[in-house]
Amino acid sequence: MGIGATRLDGKVALVTGATGGIGVEIVRRLADEGASVVITDIDGAPMEDLRSELAEPDRHDVAGLDIADEGAWELTVGRVMERYERLDILVNNGAIGSIGSVVDEDLESYRRVIDISQTGTWLGMKHAGAQIESSGGGSIVNLCSILGTVGGLGNSVAYAAAKGAVRTMTKNAALYWAQRGVRVNSVHPGFIGTEQLKQRYEGTERHAAMLANTPMGRLGTAADVAAAVAFLAGDDALFVTGTELYVDGGWTCA
Ligand SMILES: NC(=O)c1ccc[n+]([C@@H]2O[C@H](COP(=O)([O-])OP(=O)(O)OC[C@H]3O[C@@H](n4cnc5c(N)ncnc54)[C@H](O)[C@@H]3O)[C@@H](O)[C@H]2O)c1
């Protein structure tokens, strides 16, 4: 364990989309740093497997949570408050994307991406944020993307729309809670070489373009992103709110 390894001691964190490529590393990192982690994802995802690999698995919890379903948020947050009597950290990590460009995306797919990746993030802030405030304050970290800010590779229009909204909602919510003890920040990964991404794109032109456009010459790792999330989640970032933390190997400098 590195510097600050126990900086989240005593804190309770809820992570959405927690069994995906980046979510898994966020859960591991927050747990390593001392947090009790509520591992959530859509039903059927291997949440229990992840919990059982953590040290002190009983400290952590799992819950099926479709982030686009407001009733599910109410149930899950209620369950967290019942068990832990507090909530300190929300990591809005769950999201979906689609590849379609501005002309070839279809309406059904567009709406689904917005529903989950954009509205799901707002619902999380609404329901978990209120409990973080009533617990005495804490941190919300919204997983955004370089595509929330720049055009990327000129496709994934729905994802860009959703992440652009996540970026500005983050600042809006940061202002709302600025004097109420809840900090809200966004983390903007560049292209991260998760297993899922490798399976989908390795060997394709798109993968080559991801590498060619990353000044550091490599894709990021899920651990790179998790480290940024852990910083914003904890008290090292007590005066940091409404900011955008890029974990993109320099993509947005160019
Ligand atoms: N991988 C990258 O290169 C990259 C780059 C920039 C931003 N991001 C962002 O990082 C976050 C994690 O990305 P990832 O690469 O781990 O993605 P992933 O596809 O591996 O994981 C996403 C997780 O979200 C879950 N999910 C999907 N629909 C859901 C729903 N309705 N309710 C709850 N959970 C749902 C999935 O089950 C999955 O576990 C996302 O917000 C993504 O947009 C990823």
Side-chain angles (χ1 to χ4, degrees), residues 185-253:
N185 294 287
S186 51
V187 167
H188 298 243
F191 289 102
I192 305 302
T194 58
E195 266 317 304
Q196 291 88 328
L197 184 137
K198 281 187 200 154
Q199 277 169 20
R200 226 172 283 163
Y201 299 118
E202 210 157 48
T204 67
E205 269 179 33
R206 188 173 161 83
H207 191 256
M210 291 173 191
L211 275 173
N213 286 288
T214 304
M216 288 180 75
R218 69 164 173 92
L219 300 188
T221 66
D224 291 331
V225 180
V229 171
F231 163 68
L232 291 170
D235 292 350
D236 282 345
L238 267 186
F239 200 47
V240 181
T241 198
T243 202
E244 302 163 28
L245 180 44
Y246 288 84
V247 185
D248 68 352
W251 181 296
T252 44
C253 301

Short mmCIF file of all heavy atoms in Angstrom, two decimals, residues 185-253:
data_model
loop_
_atom_site.label_atom_id
_atom_site.label_comp_id
_atom_site.label_asym_id
_atom_site.label_seq_id
_atom_site.Cartn_x
_atom_site.Cartn_y
_atom_site.Cartn_z
N ASN A 185 -16.90 16.67 -8.33
CA ASN A 185 -15.86 16.84 -9.34
C ASN A 185 -16.02 15.79 -10.44
O ASN A 185 -16.66 14.75 -10.23
CB ASN A 185 -14.47 16.69 -8.70
CG ASN A 185 -14.18 17.81 -7.71
OD1 ASN A 185 -13.93 18.95 -8.10
ND2 ASN A 185 -14.23 17.50 -6.41
N SER A 186 -15.41 16.06 -11.58
CA SER A 186 -15.45 15.06 -12.66
C SER A 186 -14.04 14.58 -13.01
O SER A 186 -13.08 15.36 -12.97
CB SER A 186 -16.15 15.61 -13.91
OG SER A 186 -15.63 16.87 -14.30
N VAL A 187 -13.96 13.31 -13.34
CA VAL A 187 -12.70 12.70 -13.81
C VAL A 187 -12.89 12.37 -15.29
O VAL A 187 -13.91 11.79 -15.67
CB VAL A 187 -12.39 11.43 -13.00
CG1 VAL A 187 -11.27 10.62 -13.66
CG2 VAL A 187 -12.00 11.80 -11.57
N HIS A 188 -11.91 12.78 -16.09
CA HIS A 188 -12.03 12.65 -17.55
C HIS A 188 -10.95 11.72 -18.10
O HIS A 188 -9.86 12.19 -18.48
CB HIS A 188 -11.90 14.02 -18.21
CG HIS A 188 -12.96 14.99 -17.82
ND1 HIS A 188 -13.86 15.53 -18.72
CD2 HIS A 188 -13.30 15.51 -16.61
CE1 HIS A 188 -14.70 16.33 -18.08
NE2 HIS A 188 -14.37 16.34 -16.80
N PRO A 189 -11.25 10.43 -18.17
CA PRO A 189 -10.24 9.54 -18.76
C PRO A 189 -10.12 9.77 -20.26
O PRO A 189 -11.10 10.11 -20.94
CB PRO A 189 -10.80 8.13 -18.49
CG PRO A 189 -11.86 8.31 -17.45
CD PRO A 189 -12.41 9.69 -17.65
N GLY A 190 -8.90 9.56 -20.75
CA GLY A 190 -8.72 9.39 -22.20
C GLY A 190 -9.08 7.95 -22.51
O GLY A 190 -9.90 7.34 -21.82
N PHE A 191 -8.47 7.38 -23.54
CA PHE A 191 -8.78 5.98 -23.84
C PHE A 191 -7.99 5.08 -22.89
O PHE A 191 -6.78 5.21 -22.75
CB PHE A 191 -8.50 5.66 -25.31
CG PHE A 191 -9.52 6.33 -26.19
CD1 PHE A 191 -9.21 7.50 -26.88
CD2 PHE A 191 -10.81 5.81 -26.30
CE1 PHE A 191 -10.16 8.13 -27.67
CE2 PHE A 191 -11.77 6.45 -27.08
CZ PHE A 191 -11.44 7.61 -27.77
N ILE A 192 -8.75 4.20 -22.22
CA ILE A 192 -8.18 3.34 -21.18
C ILE A 192 -8.18 1.90 -21.70
O ILE A 192 -9.22 1.40 -22.17
CB ILE A 192 -9.04 3.46 -19.88
CG1 ILE A 192 -9.16 4.93 -19.43
CG2 ILE A 192 -8.46 2.57 -18.78
CD1 ILE A 192 -7.85 5.65 -19.15
N GLY A 193 -7.04 1.26 -21.61
CA GLY A 193 -6.89 -0.07 -22.19
C GLY A 193 -7.47 -1.18 -21.33
O GLY A 193 -6.76 -2.10 -20.93
N THR A 194 -8.76 -1.10 -21.03
CA THR A 194 -9.40 -2.16 -20.25
C THR A 194 -9.53 -3.41 -21.13
O THR A 194 -9.43 -3.33 -22.36
CB THR A 194 -10.81 -1.72 -19.81
OG1 THR A 194 -11.57 -1.40 -20.99
CG2 THR A 194 -10.77 -0.51 -18.90
N GLU A 195 -9.78 -4.55 -20.48
CA GLU A 195 -9.98 -5.80 -21.23
C GLU A 195 -11.07 -5.63 -22.28
O GLU A 195 -10.95 -6.06 -23.43
CB GLU A 195 -10.38 -6.94 -20.27
CG GLU A 195 -9.23 -7.78 -19.76
CD GLU A 195 -8.21 -8.14 -20.83
OE1 GLU A 195 -8.59 -8.74 -21.85
OE2 GLU A 195 -7.02 -7.80 -20.67
N GLN A 196 -12.18 -4.98 -21.85
CA GLN A 196 -13.33 -4.79 -22.74
C GLN A 196 -12.91 -4.00 -23.97
O GLN A 196 -13.28 -4.32 -25.10
CB GLN A 196 -14.46 -4.05 -22.01
CG GLN A 196 -15.14 -4.85 -20.90
CD GLN A 196 -14.43 -4.71 -19.54
OE1 GLN A 196 -13.21 -4.54 -19.47
NE2 GLN A 196 -15.20 -4.80 -18.47
N LEU A 197 -12.13 -2.93 -23.73
CA LEU A 197 -11.71 -2.09 -24.87
C LEU A 197 -10.78 -2.89 -25.79
O LEU A 197 -10.91 -2.84 -27.00
CB LEU A 197 -11.03 -0.82 -24.35
CG LEU A 197 -10.62 0.17 -25.45
CD1 LEU A 197 -10.96 1.62 -25.03
CD2 LEU A 197 -9.14 0.09 -25.77
N LYS A 198 -9.87 -3.66 -25.17
CA LYS A 198 -8.93 -4.45 -25.99
C LYS A 198 -9.71 -5.45 -26.85
O LYS A 198 -9.46 -5.59 -28.04
CB LYS A 198 -7.96 -5.20 -25.09
CG LYS A 198 -6.84 -4.32 -24.57
CD LYS A 198 -5.82 -5.16 -23.82
CE LYS A 198 -5.01 -4.31 -22.89
NZ LYS A 198 -4.45 -5.04 -21.75
N GLN A 199 -10.67 -6.15 -26.21
CA GLN A 199 -11.43 -7.16 -26.95
C GLN A 199 -12.17 -6.53 -28.12
O GLN A 199 -12.26 -7.09 -29.20
CB GLN A 199 -12.44 -7.84 -26.03
CG GLN A 199 -11.83 -8.95 -25.22
CD GLN A 199 -12.78 -9.43 -24.13
OE1 GLN A 199 -13.98 -9.20 -24.21
NE2 GLN A 199 -12.25 -10.07 -23.11
N ARG A 200 -12.70 -5.33 -27.90
CA ARG A 200 -13.51 -4.68 -28.92
C ARG A 200 -12.65 -4.08 -30.05
O ARG A 200 -13.00 -4.15 -31.20
CB ARG A 200 -14.33 -3.57 -28.27
CG ARG A 200 -15.78 -3.55 -28.70
CD ARG A 200 -16.58 -2.55 -27.88
NE ARG A 200 -16.92 -3.03 -26.55
CZ ARG A 200 -17.31 -2.24 -25.55
NH1 ARG A 200 -17.39 -0.94 -25.70
NH2 ARG A 200 -17.62 -2.75 -24.38
N TYR A 201 -11.50 -3.50 -29.68
CA TYR A 201 -10.83 -2.66 -30.68
C TYR A 201 -9.40 -3.05 -31.05
O TYR A 201 -8.87 -2.52 -32.03
CB TYR A 201 -10.80 -1.20 -30.20
CG TYR A 201 -12.17 -0.62 -30.00
CD1 TYR A 201 -12.59 -0.20 -28.74
CD2 TYR A 201 -13.06 -0.51 -31.06
CE1 TYR A 201 -13.86 0.33 -28.55
CE2 TYR A 201 -14.33 0.02 -30.88
CZ TYR A 201 -14.73 0.44 -29.62
OH TYR A 201 -15.97 0.94 -29.44
N GLU A 202 -8.75 -3.92 -30.25
CA GLU A 202 -7.32 -4.17 -30.53
C GLU A 202 -7.14 -4.63 -31.98
O GLU A 202 -7.90 -5.47 -32.46
CB GLU A 202 -6.73 -5.19 -29.56
CG GLU A 202 -5.26 -4.95 -29.33
CD GLU A 202 -4.78 -5.54 -28.00
OE1 GLU A 202 -5.10 -6.71 -27.73
OE2 GLU A 202 -4.11 -4.81 -27.25
N GLY A 203 -6.18 -4.08 -32.65
CA GLY A 203 -5.92 -4.46 -34.04
C GLY A 203 -6.74 -3.67 -35.05
O GLY A 203 -6.55 -3.82 -36.26
N THR A 204 -7.65 -2.81 -34.58
CA THR A 204 -8.48 -2.04 -35.52
C THR A 204 -7.86 -0.65 -35.75
O THR A 204 -7.00 -0.21 -34.99
CB THR A 204 -9.91 -1.83 -34.97
OG1 THR A 204 -9.82 -0.98 -33.81
CG2 THR A 204 -10.57 -3.15 -34.60
N GLU A 205 -8.38 0.02 -36.78
CA GLU A 205 -7.92 1.38 -37.07
C GLU A 205 -8.25 2.32 -35.91
O GLU A 205 -7.51 3.25 -35.61
CB GLU A 205 -8.65 1.92 -38.31
CG GLU A 205 -7.92 1.65 -39.60
CD GLU A 205 -8.70 2.17 -40.81
OE1 GLU A 205 -9.38 3.20 -40.69
OE2 GLU A 205 -8.60 1.50 -41.85
N ARG A 206 -9.38 2.05 -35.28
CA ARG A 206 -9.80 2.91 -34.17
C ARG A 206 -8.79 2.84 -33.01
O ARG A 206 -8.43 3.83 -32.41
CB ARG A 206 -11.20 2.47 -33.72
CG ARG A 206 -11.85 3.38 -32.71
CD ARG A 206 -13.29 2.94 -32.47
NE ARG A 206 -13.79 3.48 -31.22
CZ ARG A 206 -14.28 4.70 -31.07
NH1 ARG A 206 -14.35 5.53 -32.09
NH2 ARG A 206 -14.72 5.10 -29.89
N HIS A 207 -8.33 1.62 -32.75
CA HIS A 207 -7.35 1.43 -31.68
C HIS A 207 -6.05 2.17 -32.02
O HIS A 207 -5.47 2.86 -31.17
CB HIS A 207 -7.09 -0.07 -31.50
CG HIS A 207 -6.31 -0.40 -30.26
ND1 HIS A 207 -4.98 -0.74 -30.30
CD2 HIS A 207 -6.66 -0.42 -28.95
CE1 HIS A 207 -4.55 -0.98 -29.06
NE2 HIS A 207 -5.55 -0.79 -28.22
N ALA A 208 -5.65 2.07 -33.28
CA ALA A 208 -4.42 2.77 -33.72
C ALA A 208 -4.60 4.28 -33.56
O ALA A 208 -3.67 4.98 -33.15
CB ALA A 208 -4.12 2.40 -35.16
N ALA A 209 -5.80 4.78 -33.86
CA ALA A 209 -6.06 6.22 -33.74
C ALA A 209 -6.05 6.66 -32.28
O ALA A 209 -5.57 7.75 -31.94
CB ALA A 209 -7.41 6.56 -34.38
N MET A 210 -6.54 5.80 -31.39
CA MET A 210 -6.51 6.12 -29.95
C MET A 210 -5.07 6.32 -29.50
O MET A 210 -4.73 7.27 -28.79
CB MET A 210 -7.12 4.97 -29.12
CG MET A 210 -8.60 4.79 -29.28
SD MET A 210 -9.08 3.27 -28.41
CE MET A 210 -10.75 3.07 -29.02
N LEU A 211 -4.20 5.40 -29.92
CA LEU A 211 -2.79 5.48 -29.53
C LEU A 211 -2.10 6.68 -30.17
O LEU A 211 -1.39 7.44 -29.50
CB LEU A 211 -2.06 4.21 -29.98
CG LEU A 211 -2.13 3.03 -29.03
CD1 LEU A 211 -1.51 1.80 -29.68
CD2 LEU A 211 -1.40 3.36 -27.73
N ALA A 212 -2.36 6.87 -31.46
CA ALA A 212 -1.68 7.93 -32.20
C ALA A 212 -2.03 9.31 -31.65
O ALA A 212 -1.23 10.23 -31.73
CB ALA A 212 -2.04 7.84 -33.68
N ASN A 213 -3.24 9.45 -31.10
CA ASN A 213 -3.67 10.76 -30.60
C ASN A 213 -3.40 10.97 -29.12
O ASN A 213 -3.79 11.99 -28.55
CB ASN A 213 -5.17 10.94 -30.87
CG ASN A 213 -5.44 11.20 -32.34
OD1 ASN A 213 -5.15 12.28 -32.85
ND2 ASN A 213 -5.93 10.19 -33.04
N THR A 214 -2.75 10.01 -28.48
CA THR A 214 -2.43 10.16 -27.07
C THR A 214 -0.96 10.56 -26.96
O THR A 214 -0.07 9.74 -27.24
CB THR A 214 -2.68 8.84 -26.29
OG1 THR A 214 -4.04 8.45 -26.50
CG2 THR A 214 -2.44 9.03 -24.80
N PRO A 215 -0.67 11.81 -26.58
CA PRO A 215 0.73 12.28 -26.58
C PRO A 215 1.68 11.37 -25.80
O PRO A 215 2.84 11.22 -26.19
CB PRO A 215 0.62 13.67 -25.95
CG PRO A 215 -0.74 14.14 -26.37
CD PRO A 215 -1.61 12.91 -26.30
N MET A 216 1.24 10.76 -24.71
CA MET A 216 2.15 9.90 -23.95
C MET A 216 2.41 8.57 -24.65
O MET A 216 3.24 7.77 -24.18
CB MET A 216 1.64 9.69 -22.52
CG MET A 216 1.79 10.96 -21.67
SD MET A 216 1.22 10.81 -19.97
CE MET A 216 2.54 9.85 -19.26
N GLY A 217 1.70 8.28 -25.73
CA GLY A 217 2.01 7.12 -26.56
C GLY A 217 1.53 5.79 -26.00
O GLY A 217 1.98 4.73 -26.45
N ARG A 218 0.65 5.82 -25.02
CA ARG A 218 0.07 4.57 -24.53
C ARG A 218 -1.36 4.84 -24.11
O ARG A 218 -1.74 5.99 -23.90
CB ARG A 218 0.86 4.00 -23.33
CG ARG A 218 0.74 4.85 -22.04
CD ARG A 218 1.21 4.06 -20.82
NE ARG A 218 1.28 4.84 -19.59
CZ ARG A 218 0.28 4.95 -18.70
NH1 ARG A 218 -0.88 4.36 -18.91
NH2 ARG A 218 0.45 5.66 -17.60
N LEU A 219 -2.15 3.77 -24.00
CA LEU A 219 -3.48 3.93 -23.43
C LEU A 219 -3.33 3.98 -21.91
O LEU A 219 -2.33 3.50 -21.35
CB LEU A 219 -4.39 2.77 -23.83
CG LEU A 219 -4.61 2.59 -25.33
CD1 LEU A 219 -5.70 1.53 -25.58
CD2 LEU A 219 -5.02 3.90 -26.01
N GLY A 220 -4.32 4.57 -21.24
CA GLY A 220 -4.29 4.60 -19.78
C GLY A 220 -4.64 3.24 -19.21
O GLY A 220 -5.06 2.32 -19.93
N THR A 221 -4.46 3.12 -17.89
CA THR A 221 -4.90 1.90 -17.21
C THR A 221 -6.05 2.28 -16.27
O THR A 221 -6.20 3.45 -15.88
CB THR A 221 -3.78 1.27 -16.37
OG1 THR A 221 -3.46 2.18 -15.29
CG2 THR A 221 -2.53 1.01 -17.19
N ALA A 222 -6.83 1.26 -15.91
CA ALA A 222 -7.93 1.51 -14.98
C ALA A 222 -7.38 2.00 -13.63
O ALA A 222 -7.99 2.83 -12.96
CB ALA A 222 -8.75 0.24 -14.80
N ALA A 223 -6.18 1.52 -13.28
CA ALA A 223 -5.56 1.97 -12.01
C ALA A 223 -5.20 3.46 -12.08
O ALA A 223 -5.29 4.16 -11.06
CB ALA A 223 -4.32 1.12 -11.71
N ASP A 224 -4.81 3.95 -13.26
CA ASP A 224 -4.54 5.40 -13.41
C ASP A 224 -5.79 6.19 -13.04
O ASP A 224 -5.73 7.24 -12.38
CB ASP A 224 -4.18 5.75 -14.87
CG ASP A 224 -2.84 5.21 -15.33
OD1 ASP A 224 -1.93 5.04 -14.50
OD2 ASP A 224 -2.70 4.96 -16.56
N VAL A 225 -6.93 5.72 -13.51
CA VAL A 225 -8.20 6.44 -13.26
C VAL A 225 -8.60 6.31 -11.79
O VAL A 225 -9.00 7.28 -11.15
CB VAL A 225 -9.32 5.88 -14.18
CG1 VAL A 225 -10.63 6.62 -13.92
CG2 VAL A 225 -8.91 5.99 -15.65
N ALA A 226 -8.44 5.11 -11.24
CA ALA A 226 -8.83 4.87 -9.84
C ALA A 226 -8.05 5.76 -8.89
O ALA A 226 -8.59 6.24 -7.88
CB ALA A 226 -8.63 3.39 -9.49
N ALA A 227 -6.78 6.02 -9.20
CA ALA A 227 -5.96 6.86 -8.33
C ALA A 227 -6.51 8.29 -8.29
O ALA A 227 -6.55 8.94 -7.23
CB ALA A 227 -4.51 6.87 -8.81
N ALA A 228 -6.97 8.78 -9.44
CA ALA A 228 -7.54 10.13 -9.50
C ALA A 228 -8.86 10.18 -8.72
O ALA A 228 -9.15 11.14 -8.00
CB ALA A 228 -7.77 10.53 -10.96
N VAL A 229 -9.65 9.14 -8.85
CA VAL A 229 -10.93 9.08 -8.13
C VAL A 229 -10.67 9.08 -6.61
O VAL A 229 -11.34 9.80 -5.85
CB VAL A 229 -11.73 7.81 -8.54
CG1 VAL A 229 -12.95 7.60 -7.64
CG2 VAL A 229 -12.16 7.92 -10.01
N ALA A 230 -9.70 8.29 -6.19
CA ALA A 230 -9.42 8.20 -4.75
C ALA A 230 -8.98 9.55 -4.19
O ALA A 230 -9.36 9.93 -3.08
CB ALA A 230 -8.34 7.14 -4.49
N PHE A 231 -8.19 10.29 -4.97
CA PHE A 231 -7.76 11.62 -4.52
C PHE A 231 -8.98 12.52 -4.31
O PHE A 231 -9.14 13.15 -3.26
CB PHE A 231 -6.79 12.23 -5.54
CG PHE A 231 -6.63 13.72 -5.38
CD1 PHE A 231 -6.00 14.24 -4.24
CD2 PHE A 231 -7.13 14.61 -6.32
CE1 PHE A 231 -5.88 15.63 -4.07
CE2 PHE A 231 -7.01 15.98 -6.16
CZ PHE A 231 -6.39 16.50 -5.02
N LEU A 232 -9.85 12.58 -5.31
CA LEU A 232 -11.01 13.48 -5.21
C LEU A 232 -12.00 13.01 -4.15
O LEU A 232 -12.72 13.82 -3.55
CB LEU A 232 -11.70 13.59 -6.58
CG LEU A 232 -10.91 14.33 -7.65
CD1 LEU A 232 -11.57 14.16 -9.02
CD2 LEU A 232 -10.76 15.82 -7.31
N ALA A 233 -12.04 11.71 -3.91
CA ALA A 233 -13.00 11.16 -2.94
C ALA A 233 -12.65 11.54 -1.51
O ALA A 233 -13.53 11.70 -0.67
CB ALA A 233 -13.04 9.63 -3.07
N GLY A 234 -11.36 11.72 -1.24
CA GLY A 234 -10.93 11.86 0.15
C GLY A 234 -10.61 13.28 0.56
O GLY A 234 -10.71 14.23 -0.23
N ASP A 235 -10.17 13.42 1.80
CA ASP A 235 -9.97 14.75 2.38
C ASP A 235 -8.72 15.46 1.87
O ASP A 235 -8.53 16.64 2.18
CB ASP A 235 -9.95 14.65 3.91
CG ASP A 235 -11.32 14.25 4.45
OD1 ASP A 235 -12.30 14.26 3.66
OD2 ASP A 235 -11.42 13.94 5.65
N ASP A 236 -7.86 14.80 1.07
CA ASP A 236 -6.77 15.52 0.42
C ASP A 236 -7.32 16.57 -0.54
O ASP A 236 -6.61 17.51 -0.90
CB ASP A 236 -5.87 14.56 -0.39
CG ASP A 236 -4.93 13.78 0.51
OD1 ASP A 236 -4.75 14.17 1.68
OD2 ASP A 236 -4.38 12.77 0.03
N ALA A 237 -8.56 16.40 -0.96
CA ALA A 237 -9.15 17.31 -1.95
C ALA A 237 -10.23 18.20 -1.31
O ALA A 237 -11.17 18.63 -1.98
CB ALA A 237 -9.75 16.50 -3.09
N LEU A 238 -10.05 18.51 -0.03
CA LEU A 238 -11.11 19.23 0.71
C LEU A 238 -11.48 20.59 0.13
O LEU A 238 -12.58 21.08 0.34
CB LEU A 238 -10.69 19.41 2.17
CG LEU A 238 -11.14 18.33 3.14
CD1 LEU A 238 -10.77 18.73 4.57
CD2 LEU A 238 -12.63 18.03 3.05
N PHE A 239 -10.55 21.22 -0.62
CA PHE A 239 -10.85 22.56 -1.19
C PHE A 239 -11.02 22.47 -2.71
O PHE A 239 -10.90 23.44 -3.42
CB PHE A 239 -9.73 23.54 -0.81
CG PHE A 239 -10.12 24.99 -0.91
CD1 PHE A 239 -11.31 25.47 -0.37
CD2 PHE A 239 -9.30 25.90 -1.57
CE1 PHE A 239 -11.67 26.81 -0.47
CE2 PHE A 239 -9.65 27.26 -1.68
CZ PHE A 239 -10.84 27.71 -1.12
N VAL A 240 -11.34 21.26 -3.17
CA VAL A 240 -11.46 21.03 -4.61
C VAL A 240 -12.91 20.70 -4.94
O VAL A 240 -13.42 19.66 -4.51
CB VAL A 240 -10.55 19.86 -5.06
CG1 VAL A 240 -10.65 19.64 -6.57
CG2 VAL A 240 -9.10 20.09 -4.65
N THR A 241 -13.57 21.57 -5.66
CA THR A 241 -14.93 21.26 -6.11
C THR A 241 -15.19 21.87 -7.47
O THR A 241 -14.64 22.93 -7.80
CB THR A 241 -15.99 21.67 -5.05
OG1 THR A 241 -17.21 20.96 -5.34
CG2 THR A 241 -16.27 23.18 -5.05
N GLY A 242 -16.01 21.19 -8.27
CA GLY A 242 -16.38 21.68 -9.60
C GLY A 242 -15.25 21.58 -10.61
O GLY A 242 -15.34 22.14 -11.70
N THR A 243 -14.21 20.83 -10.27
CA THR A 243 -13.06 20.77 -11.18
C THR A 243 -13.14 19.56 -12.11
O THR A 243 -13.92 18.64 -11.89
CB THR A 243 -11.73 20.79 -10.41
OG1 THR A 243 -10.70 21.24 -11.28
CG2 THR A 243 -11.37 19.44 -9.86
N GLU A 244 -12.29 19.61 -13.14
CA GLU A 244 -12.21 18.51 -14.12
C GLU A 244 -10.80 17.95 -14.03
O GLU A 244 -9.85 18.67 -14.31
CB GLU A 244 -12.40 19.05 -15.54
CG GLU A 244 -13.70 19.77 -15.76
CD GLU A 244 -13.66 20.64 -17.03
OE1 GLU A 244 -12.93 20.33 -17.98
OE2 GLU A 244 -14.38 21.64 -17.03
N LEU A 245 -10.67 16.69 -13.68
CA LEU A 245 -9.34 16.08 -13.59
C LEU A 245 -9.16 15.14 -14.78
O LEU A 245 -9.85 14.12 -14.89
CB LEU A 245 -9.20 15.34 -12.25
CG LEU A 245 -7.89 14.64 -11.95
CD1 LEU A 245 -6.66 15.47 -12.31
CD2 LEU A 245 -7.82 14.25 -10.48
N TYR A 246 -8.25 15.52 -15.68
CA TYR A 246 -8.02 14.73 -16.90
C TYR A 246 -6.99 13.65 -16.63
O TYR A 246 -5.91 13.93 -16.09
CB TYR A 246 -7.58 15.65 -18.05
CG TYR A 246 -8.75 16.47 -18.53
CD1 TYR A 246 -9.11 17.65 -17.89
CD2 TYR A 246 -9.55 16.01 -19.58
CE1 TYR A 246 -10.23 18.36 -18.29
CE2 TYR A 246 -10.68 16.72 -19.98
CZ TYR A 246 -11.01 17.89 -19.33
OH TYR A 246 -12.12 18.58 -19.72
N VAL A 247 -7.32 12.43 -17.01
CA VAL A 247 -6.40 11.29 -16.89
C VAL A 247 -6.30 10.74 -18.30
O VAL A 247 -6.90 9.73 -18.65
CB VAL A 247 -6.98 10.24 -15.90
CG1 VAL A 247 -5.97 9.11 -15.67
CG2 VAL A 247 -7.36 10.89 -14.57
N ASP A 248 -5.59 11.49 -19.15
CA ASP A 248 -5.72 11.24 -20.59
C ASP A 248 -4.38 11.20 -21.34
O ASP A 248 -4.37 11.29 -22.57
CB ASP A 248 -6.65 12.30 -21.21
CG ASP A 248 -6.05 13.71 -21.20
OD1 ASP A 248 -4.98 13.90 -20.57
OD2 ASP A 248 -6.64 14.61 -21.80
N GLY A 249 -3.28 11.10 -20.59
CA GLY A 249 -1.98 11.01 -21.27
C GLY A 249 -1.67 12.23 -22.13
O GLY A 249 -0.82 12.16 -23.02
N GLY A 250 -2.37 13.33 -21.86
CA GLY A 250 -2.09 14.57 -22.59
C GLY A 250 -3.01 14.84 -23.78
O GLY A 250 -2.83 15.83 -24.49
N TRP A 251 -4.01 13.96 -23.98
CA TRP A 251 -4.89 14.09 -25.16
C TRP A 251 -5.42 15.52 -25.32
O TRP A 251 -5.36 16.10 -26.40
CB TRP A 251 -6.07 13.11 -25.04
CG TRP A 251 -7.02 13.13 -26.21
CD1 TRP A 251 -7.81 14.15 -26.62
CD2 TRP A 251 -7.24 12.06 -27.15
NE1 TRP A 251 -8.52 13.79 -27.74
CE2 TRP A 251 -8.19 12.52 -28.09
CE3 TRP A 251 -6.74 10.75 -27.28
CZ2 TRP A 251 -8.66 11.73 -29.14
CZ3 TRP A 251 -7.22 9.97 -28.33
CH2 TRP A 251 -8.15 10.45 -29.25
N THR A 252 -5.92 16.11 -24.23
CA THR A 252 -6.60 17.41 -24.34
C THR A 252 -5.61 18.59 -24.35
O THR A 252 -6.05 19.74 -24.44
CB THR A 252 -7.64 17.58 -23.21
OG1 THR A 252 -7.07 17.13 -21.98
CG2 THR A 252 -8.90 16.80 -23.49
N CYS A 253 -4.30 18.30 -24.28
CA CYS A 253 -3.32 19.41 -24.43
C CYS A 253 -3.13 19.77 -25.89
O CYS A 253 -2.72 20.87 -26.22
CB CYS A 253 -1.93 18.98 -23.96
SG CYS A 253 -1.84 18.45 -22.30
#
